[in-house]
Amino acid sequence: MPMDRKVVLIVDGYNVIRNNPRYSQLGADYEASSSWNKAREAVINDAALMAKGSYDHCTVVFDGAGNSKSKGKPTRVCGIDVVFSPAGVSADTVIERLAHDAREAGKEVQVVSSDFTIQSTVFGGGVTRISARGFSAASEALEEEWHENSYRVGKVAKNTVAGRIDPDVAAKLEAFARGKGDLS
């Protein structure tokens, strides 16, 4: 995206988890908080990877309405904001407010959700949608690209001249460079 565009990404966290096998299999045990943690971490990591270099700001919103201790304060994780909606307030309400505020600030807004209520409430007027499955597909492609680039960097680092030279020749060159030998 061109640098002069200000685009905000807002991710409906639990909607993405529930509507996508990439994440739902991690949170499949609805009774175990550890499986939900894994699913949330995967969404957060994918959102951070997607946001890097492509978005001015990114927020992942999870529903904390049923948690009496949830304050709705954003936490900075991996360069993005993660918010559990405050007690008694749905994630949908937080997403609507974030989208409205960003539009009012003159920013383009992209919301990741397959929730019909969110779609009918916030879309239009500068807000576009990425489906939960579209988010997953984009995340998988970015992850694959990242792994491919990491592999290439690793290969390049190991493919240096020093790594390919015969050890006896390397020893002679080292001695010659220190003035302690010749190249014969």
mmCIF file with all atom_site columns, all heavy atoms in Angstrom, residues 86-103:
data_model
loop_
_atom_site.group_PDB
_atom_site.id
_atom_site.type_symbol
_atom_site.label_atom_id
_atom_site.label_alt_id
_atom_site.label_comp_id
_atom_site.label_asym_id
_atom_site.label_entity_id
_atom_site.label_seq_id
_atom_site.pdbx_PDB_ins_code
_atom_site.Cartn_x
_atom_site.Cartn_y
_atom_site.Cartn_z
_atom_site.occupancy
_atom_site.B_iso_or_equiv
_atom_site.pdbx_formal_charge
_atom_site.auth_seq_id
_atom_site.auth_comp_id
_atom_site.auth_asym_id
_atom_site.auth_atom_id
_atom_site.pdbx_PDB_model_num
ATOM 1   N N   . PRO A 1 86  ? -14.751 -4.445 27.377 1.00 0.00 ? 86  PRO A N   1
ATOM 2   C CA  . PRO A 1 86  ? -15.018 -4.308 28.813 1.00 0.00 ? 86  PRO A CA  1
ATOM 3   C C   . PRO A 1 86  ? -16.229 -5.155 29.238 1.00 0.00 ? 86  PRO A C   1
ATOM 4   O O   . PRO A 1 86  ? -17.080 -5.490 28.418 1.00 0.00 ? 86  PRO A O   1
ATOM 5   C CB  . PRO A 1 86  ? -15.320 -2.826 28.995 1.00 0.00 ? 86  PRO A CB  1
ATOM 6   C CG  . PRO A 1 86  ? -15.191 -2.173 27.690 1.00 0.00 ? 86  PRO A CG  1
ATOM 7   C CD  . PRO A 1 86  ? -14.928 -3.210 26.654 1.00 0.00 ? 86  PRO A CD  1
ATOM 8   N N   . ALA A 1 87  ? -16.282 -5.439 30.524 1.00 0.00 ? 87  ALA A N   1
ATOM 9   C CA  . ALA A 1 87  ? -17.407 -6.192 31.078 1.00 0.00 ? 87  ALA A CA  1
ATOM 10  C C   . ALA A 1 87  ? -18.717 -5.548 30.645 1.00 0.00 ? 87  ALA A C   1
ATOM 11  O O   . ALA A 1 87  ? -18.879 -4.332 30.712 1.00 0.00 ? 87  ALA A O   1
ATOM 12  C CB  . ALA A 1 87  ? -17.306 -6.228 32.600 1.00 0.00 ? 87  ALA A CB  1
ATOM 13  N N   . GLY A 1 88  ? -19.637 -6.384 30.149 1.00 0.00 ? 88  GLY A N   1
ATOM 14  C CA  . GLY A 1 88  ? -20.949 -5.899 29.749 1.00 0.00 ? 88  GLY A CA  1
ATOM 15  C C   . GLY A 1 88  ? -21.014 -5.274 28.370 1.00 0.00 ? 88  GLY A C   1
ATOM 16  O O   . GLY A 1 88  ? -22.083 -4.862 27.917 1.00 0.00 ? 88  GLY A O   1
ATOM 17  N N   . VAL A 1 89  ? -19.880 -5.187 27.673 1.00 0.00 ? 89  VAL A N   1
ATOM 18  C CA  . VAL A 1 89  ? -19.833 -4.581 26.337 1.00 0.00 ? 89  VAL A CA  1
ATOM 19  C C   . VAL A 1 89  ? -19.339 -5.631 25.349 1.00 0.00 ? 89  VAL A C   1
ATOM 20  O O   . VAL A 1 89  ? -18.316 -6.269 25.578 1.00 0.00 ? 89  VAL A O   1
ATOM 21  C CB  . VAL A 1 89  ? -18.894 -3.345 26.308 1.00 0.00 ? 89  VAL A CB  1
ATOM 22  C CG1 . VAL A 1 89  ? -18.809 -2.750 24.919 1.00 0.00 ? 89  VAL A CG1 1
ATOM 23  C CG2 . VAL A 1 89  ? -19.344 -2.310 27.323 1.00 0.00 ? 89  VAL A CG2 1
ATOM 24  N N   . SER A 1 90  ? -20.055 -5.794 24.248 1.00 0.00 ? 90  SER A N   1
ATOM 25  C CA  . SER A 1 90  ? -19.668 -6.814 23.271 1.00 0.00 ? 90  SER A CA  1
ATOM 26  C C   . SER A 1 90  ? -18.472 -6.365 22.436 1.00 0.00 ? 90  SER A C   1
ATOM 27  O O   . SER A 1 90  ? -18.207 -5.169 22.298 1.00 0.00 ? 90  SER A O   1
ATOM 28  C CB  . SER A 1 90  ? -20.846 -7.111 22.335 1.00 0.00 ? 90  SER A CB  1
ATOM 29  O OG  . SER A 1 90  ? -21.061 -6.028 21.466 1.00 0.00 ? 90  SER A OG  1
ATOM 30  N N   . ALA A 1 91  ? -17.792 -7.343 21.878 1.00 0.00 ? 91  ALA A N   1
ATOM 31  C CA  . ALA A 1 91  ? -16.692 -7.048 20.954 1.00 0.00 ? 91  ALA A CA  1
ATOM 32  C C   . ALA A 1 91  ? -17.224 -6.274 19.756 1.00 0.00 ? 91  ALA A C   1
ATOM 33  O O   . ALA A 1 91  ? -16.548 -5.376 19.244 1.00 0.00 ? 91  ALA A O   1
ATOM 34  C CB  . ALA A 1 91  ? -16.022 -8.340 20.501 1.00 0.00 ? 91  ALA A CB  1
ATOM 35  N N   . ASP A 1 92  ? -18.452 -6.598 19.314 1.00 0.00 ? 92  ASP A N   1
ATOM 36  C CA  . ASP A 1 92  ? -19.061 -5.889 18.185 1.00 0.00 ? 92  ASP A CA  1
ATOM 37  C C   . ASP A 1 92  ? -19.133 -4.386 18.449 1.00 0.00 ? 92  ASP A C   1
ATOM 38  O O   . ASP A 1 92  ? -18.825 -3.573 17.573 1.00 0.00 ? 92  ASP A O   1
ATOM 39  C CB  . ASP A 1 92  ? -20.467 -6.414 17.897 1.00 0.00 ? 92  ASP A CB  1
ATOM 40  C CG  . ASP A 1 92  ? -20.470 -7.846 17.389 1.00 0.00 ? 92  ASP A CG  1
ATOM 41  O OD1 . ASP A 1 92  ? -19.381 -8.447 17.255 1.00 0.00 ? 92  ASP A OD1 1
ATOM 42  O OD2 . ASP A 1 92  ? -21.567 -8.369 17.129 1.00 0.00 ? 92  ASP A OD2 1
ATOM 43  N N   . THR A 1 93  ? -19.516 -4.014 19.660 1.00 0.00 ? 93  THR A N   1
ATOM 44  C CA  . THR A 1 93  ? -19.608 -2.596 20.023 1.00 0.00 ? 93  THR A CA  1
ATOM 45  C C   . THR A 1 93  ? -18.232 -1.932 19.970 1.00 0.00 ? 93  THR A C   1
ATOM 46  O O   . THR A 1 93  ? -18.095 -0.808 19.476 1.00 0.00 ? 93  THR A O   1
ATOM 47  C CB  . THR A 1 93  ? -20.227 -2.448 21.428 1.00 0.00 ? 93  THR A CB  1
ATOM 48  O OG1 . THR A 1 93  ? -21.521 -3.057 21.416 1.00 0.00 ? 93  THR A OG1 1
ATOM 49  C CG2 . THR A 1 93  ? -20.337 -0.999 21.847 1.00 0.00 ? 93  THR A CG2 1
ATOM 50  N N   . VAL A 1 94  ? -17.216 -2.621 20.470 1.00 0.00 ? 94  VAL A N   1
ATOM 51  C CA  . VAL A 1 94  ? -15.850 -2.075 20.438 1.00 0.00 ? 94  VAL A CA  1
ATOM 52  C C   . VAL A 1 94  ? -15.383 -1.919 18.993 1.00 0.00 ? 94  VAL A C   1
ATOM 53  O O   . VAL A 1 94  ? -14.803 -0.893 18.621 1.00 0.00 ? 94  VAL A O   1
ATOM 54  C CB  . VAL A 1 94  ? -14.879 -2.966 21.251 1.00 0.00 ? 94  VAL A CB  1
ATOM 55  C CG1 . VAL A 1 94  ? -13.433 -2.507 21.071 1.00 0.00 ? 94  VAL A CG1 1
ATOM 56  C CG2 . VAL A 1 94  ? -15.264 -2.968 22.715 1.00 0.00 ? 94  VAL A CG2 1
ATOM 57  N N   . ILE A 1 95  ? -15.652 -2.917 18.158 1.00 0.00 ? 95  ILE A N   1
ATOM 58  C CA  . ILE A 1 95  ? -15.256 -2.858 16.745 1.00 0.00 ? 95  ILE A CA  1
ATOM 59  C C   . ILE A 1 95  ? -15.953 -1.701 16.052 1.00 0.00 ? 95  ILE A C   1
ATOM 60  O O   . ILE A 1 95  ? -15.327 -0.940 15.300 1.00 0.00 ? 95  ILE A O   1
ATOM 61  C CB  . ILE A 1 95  ? -15.551 -4.207 16.047 1.00 0.00 ? 95  ILE A CB  1
ATOM 62  C CG1 . ILE A 1 95  ? -14.601 -5.279 16.597 1.00 0.00 ? 95  ILE A CG1 1
ATOM 63  C CG2 . ILE A 1 95  ? -15.419 -4.082 14.533 1.00 0.00 ? 95  ILE A CG2 1
ATOM 64  C CD1 . ILE A 1 95  ? -14.984 -6.704 16.231 1.00 0.00 ? 95  ILE A CD1 1
ATOM 65  N N   . GLU A 1 96  ? -17.242 -1.536 16.310 1.00 0.00 ? 96  GLU A N   1
ATOM 66  C CA  . GLU A 1 96  ? -17.996 -0.420 15.720 1.00 0.00 ? 96  GLU A CA  1
ATOM 67  C C   . GLU A 1 96  ? -17.387 0.923  16.113 1.00 0.00 ? 96  GLU A C   1
ATOM 68  O O   . GLU A 1 96  ? -17.216 1.811  15.278 1.00 0.00 ? 96  GLU A O   1
ATOM 69  C CB  . GLU A 1 96  ? -19.458 -0.478 16.158 1.00 0.00 ? 96  GLU A CB  1
ATOM 70  C CG  . GLU A 1 96  ? -20.223 -1.630 15.563 1.00 0.00 ? 96  GLU A CG  1
ATOM 71  C CD  . GLU A 1 96  ? -21.576 -1.846 16.229 1.00 0.00 ? 96  GLU A CD  1
ATOM 72  O OE1 . GLU A 1 96  ? -22.072 -0.947 16.943 1.00 0.00 ? 96  GLU A OE1 1
ATOM 73  O OE2 . GLU A 1 96  ? -22.142 -2.938 16.043 1.00 0.00 ? 96  GLU A OE2 1
ATOM 74  N N   . ARG A 1 97  ? -17.037 1.072  17.400 1.00 0.00 ? 97  ARG A N   1
ATOM 75  C CA  . ARG A 1 97  ? -16.448 2.328  17.867 1.00 0.00 ? 97  ARG A CA  1
ATOM 76  C C   . ARG A 1 97  ? -15.084 2.574  17.237 1.00 0.00 ? 97  ARG A C   1
ATOM 77  O O   . ARG A 1 97  ? -14.778 3.682  16.785 1.00 0.00 ? 97  ARG A O   1
ATOM 78  C CB  . ARG A 1 97  ? -16.324 2.335  19.400 1.00 0.00 ? 97  ARG A CB  1
ATOM 79  C CG  . ARG A 1 97  ? -15.728 3.647  19.939 1.00 0.00 ? 97  ARG A CG  1
ATOM 80  C CD  . ARG A 1 97  ? -15.518 3.626  21.442 1.00 0.00 ? 97  ARG A CD  1
ATOM 81  N NE  . ARG A 1 97  ? -14.898 2.430  21.975 1.00 0.00 ? 97  ARG A NE  1
ATOM 82  C CZ  . ARG A 1 97  ? -13.594 2.162  21.937 1.00 0.00 ? 97  ARG A CZ  1
ATOM 83  N NH1 . ARG A 1 97  ? -12.758 3.002  21.364 1.00 0.00 ? 97  ARG A NH1 1
ATOM 84  N NH2 . ARG A 1 97  ? -13.124 1.055  22.475 1.00 0.00 ? 97  ARG A NH2 1
ATOM 85  N N   . LEU A 1 98  ? -14.246 1.540  17.202 1.00 0.00 ? 98  LEU A N   1
ATOM 86  C CA  . LEU A 1 98  ? -12.918 1.681  16.600 1.00 0.00 ? 98  LEU A CA  1
ATOM 87  C C   . LEU A 1 98  ? -13.022 2.062  15.123 1.00 0.00 ? 98  LEU A C   1
ATOM 88  O O   . LEU A 1 98  ? -12.292 2.941  14.639 1.00 0.00 ? 98  LEU A O   1
ATOM 89  C CB  . LEU A 1 98  ? -12.110 0.391  16.749 1.00 0.00 ? 98  LEU A CB  1
ATOM 90  C CG  . LEU A 1 98  ? -11.643 0.024  18.158 1.00 0.00 ? 98  LEU A CG  1
ATOM 91  C CD1 . LEU A 1 98  ? -11.072 -1.395 18.172 1.00 0.00 ? 98  LEU A CD1 1
ATOM 92  C CD2 . LEU A 1 98  ? -10.629 1.030  18.661 1.00 0.00 ? 98  LEU A CD2 1
ATOM 93  N N   . ALA A 1 99  ? -13.929 1.413  14.399 1.00 0.00 ? 99  ALA A N   1
ATOM 94  C CA  . ALA A 1 99  ? -14.116 1.716  12.975 1.00 0.00 ? 99  ALA A CA  1
ATOM 95  C C   . ALA A 1 99  ? -14.611 3.150  12.795 1.00 0.00 ? 99  ALA A C   1
ATOM 96  O O   . ALA A 1 99  ? -14.108 3.889  11.942 1.00 0.00 ? 99  ALA A O   1
ATOM 97  C CB  . ALA A 1 99  ? -15.094 0.724  12.351 1.00 0.00 ? 99  ALA A CB  1
ATOM 98  N N   . HIS A 1 100 ? -15.575 3.549  13.609 1.00 0.00 ? 100 HIS A N   1
ATOM 99  C CA  . HIS A 1 100 ? -16.120 4.911  13.532 1.00 0.00 ? 100 HIS A CA  1
ATOM 100 C C   . HIS A 1 100 ? -15.033 5.948  13.805 1.00 0.00 ? 100 HIS A C   1
ATOM 101 O O   . HIS A 1 100 ? -14.869 6.921  13.064 1.00 0.00 ? 100 HIS A O   1
ATOM 102 C CB  . HIS A 1 100 ? -17.272 5.075  14.524 1.00 0.00 ? 100 HIS A CB  1
ATOM 103 C CG  . HIS A 1 100 ? -17.791 6.472  14.607 1.00 0.00 ? 100 HIS A CG  1
ATOM 104 N ND1 . HIS A 1 100 ? -17.308 7.383  15.518 1.00 0.00 ? 100 HIS A ND1 1
ATOM 105 C CD2 . HIS A 1 100 ? -18.717 7.129  13.865 1.00 0.00 ? 100 HIS A CD2 1
ATOM 106 C CE1 . HIS A 1 100 ? -17.925 8.544  15.348 1.00 0.00 ? 100 HIS A CE1 1
ATOM 107 N NE2 . HIS A 1 100 ? -18.790 8.408  14.353 1.00 0.00 ? 100 HIS A NE2 1
ATOM 108 N N   . ASP A 1 101 ? -14.283 5.745  14.885 1.00 0.00 ? 101 ASP A N   1
ATOM 109 C CA  . ASP A 1 101 ? -13.230 6.691  15.257 1.00 0.00 ? 101 ASP A CA  1
ATOM 110 C C   . ASP A 1 101 ? -12.155 6.803  14.176 1.00 0.00 ? 101 ASP A C   1
ATOM 111 O O   . ASP A 1 101 ? -11.672 7.900  13.877 1.00 0.00 ? 101 ASP A O   1
ATOM 112 C CB  . ASP A 1 101 ? -12.589 6.301  16.595 1.00 0.00 ? 101 ASP A CB  1
ATOM 113 C CG  . ASP A 1 101 ? -13.538 6.465  17.773 1.00 0.00 ? 101 ASP A CG  1
ATOM 114 O OD1 . ASP A 1 101 ? -14.635 7.039  17.603 1.00 0.00 ? 101 ASP A OD1 1
ATOM 115 O OD2 . ASP A 1 101 ? -13.180 5.991  18.876 1.00 0.00 ? 101 ASP A OD2 1
ATOM 116 N N   . ALA A 1 102 ? -11.770 5.688  13.593 1.00 0.00 ? 102 ALA A N   1
ATOM 117 C CA  . ALA A 1 102 ? -10.748 5.702  12.535 1.00 0.00 ? 102 ALA A CA  1
ATOM 118 C C   . ALA A 1 102 ? -11.268 6.430  11.297 1.00 0.00 ? 102 ALA A C   1
ATOM 119 O O   . ALA A 1 102 ? -10.542 7.217  10.680 1.00 0.00 ? 102 ALA A O   1
ATOM 120 C CB  . ALA A 1 102 ? -10.325 4.277  12.182 1.00 0.00 ? 102 ALA A CB  1
ATOM 121 N N   . ARG A 1 103 ? -12.519 6.175  10.929 1.00 0.00 ? 103 ARG A N   1
ATOM 122 C CA  . ARG A 1 103 ? -13.114 6.886  9.784  1.00 0.00 ? 103 ARG A CA  1
ATOM 123 C C   . ARG A 1 103 ? -13.166 8.374  10.048 1.00 0.00 ? 103 ARG A C   1
ATOM 124 O O   . ARG A 1 103 ? -12.864 9.181  9.179  1.00 0.00 ? 103 ARG A O   1
ATOM 125 C CB  . ARG A 1 103 ? -14.524 6.360  9.499  1.00 0.00 ? 103 ARG A CB  1
ATOM 126 C CG  . ARG A 1 103 ? -14.544 5.103  8.688  1.00 0.00 ? 103 ARG A CG  1
ATOM 127 C CD  . ARG A 1 103 ? -15.930 4.811  8.120  1.00 0.00 ? 103 ARG A CD  1
ATOM 128 N NE  . ARG A 1 103 ? -17.026 5.241  8.953  1.00 0.00 ? 103 ARG A NE  1
ATOM 129 C CZ  . ARG A 1 103 ? -17.830 4.448  9.655  1.00 0.00 ? 103 ARG A CZ  1
ATOM 130 N NH1 . ARG A 1 103 ? -17.658 3.155  9.612  1.00 0.00 ? 103 ARG A NH1 1
ATOM 131 N NH2 . ARG A 1 103 ? -18.808 4.932  10.385 1.00 0.00 ? 103 ARG A NH2 1
#
